[in-house]
Amino acid sequence: MLDTALWISLALFVVAILLNVYRLTIGPSLPDRILALDTMYVNSIGLIILFCIWLNSKTYFEAALLIAMLGFISTVAVCKYLLRGDIIE
């Protein structure tokens, strides 16, 4: 049962990432592209967690936390640059 749920969720995450790539390349404005990139970070974290569950391992959870921190910091930096034109005041 868990194996089937993992395959279904993996397929849904792959579809979500493909839709994010589409929005990232075709996005009509820069904020749409930033939002697509942020959503790709969240989806990649979900894929790493699914991979951990599939391998029955706890080692990749730290990588997921690191990607979450870097994704948050980079999204804040890009949004600040978009609004003000400068990252550091």
Side-chain angles (χ1 to χ4, degrees):
M1 181 75 171
L2 182 63
D3 193 41
T4 305
L6 284 174
W7 280 109
I8 291 171
S9 58
L10 177 69
L12 291 174
F13 269 110
V14 167
V15 168
I17 285 179
L18 289 175
L19 290 173
N20 285 331
V21 168
Y22 173 75
R23 176 54 64 191
L24 188 65
T25 57
I26 308 295
S29 65
L30 191 58
D32 288 332
R33 292 179 177 163
I34 293 171
L35 186 62
L37 189 63
D38 187 46
T39 309
M40 282 181 69
Y41 282 124
V42 173
N43 287 334
S44 66
I45 292 167
L47 281 175
I48 290 173
I49 298 299
L50 283 176
F51 189 64
C52 288
I53 293 171
W54 185 49
L55 290 180
N56 199 14
S57 174
K58 297 179 183 177
T59 57
Y60 294 103
F61 285 112
E62 295 172 5
L65 286 173
L66 183 65
I67 289 174
M69 289 188 299
L70 289 175
F72 175 73
I73 291 170
S74 66
T75 302
V76 168
V78 169
C79 288
K80 193 172 181 182
Y81 178 73
L82 183 66
L83 289 175
R84 298 184 186 161
D86 192 17
I87 296 174
I88 300 173
E89 297 175 6

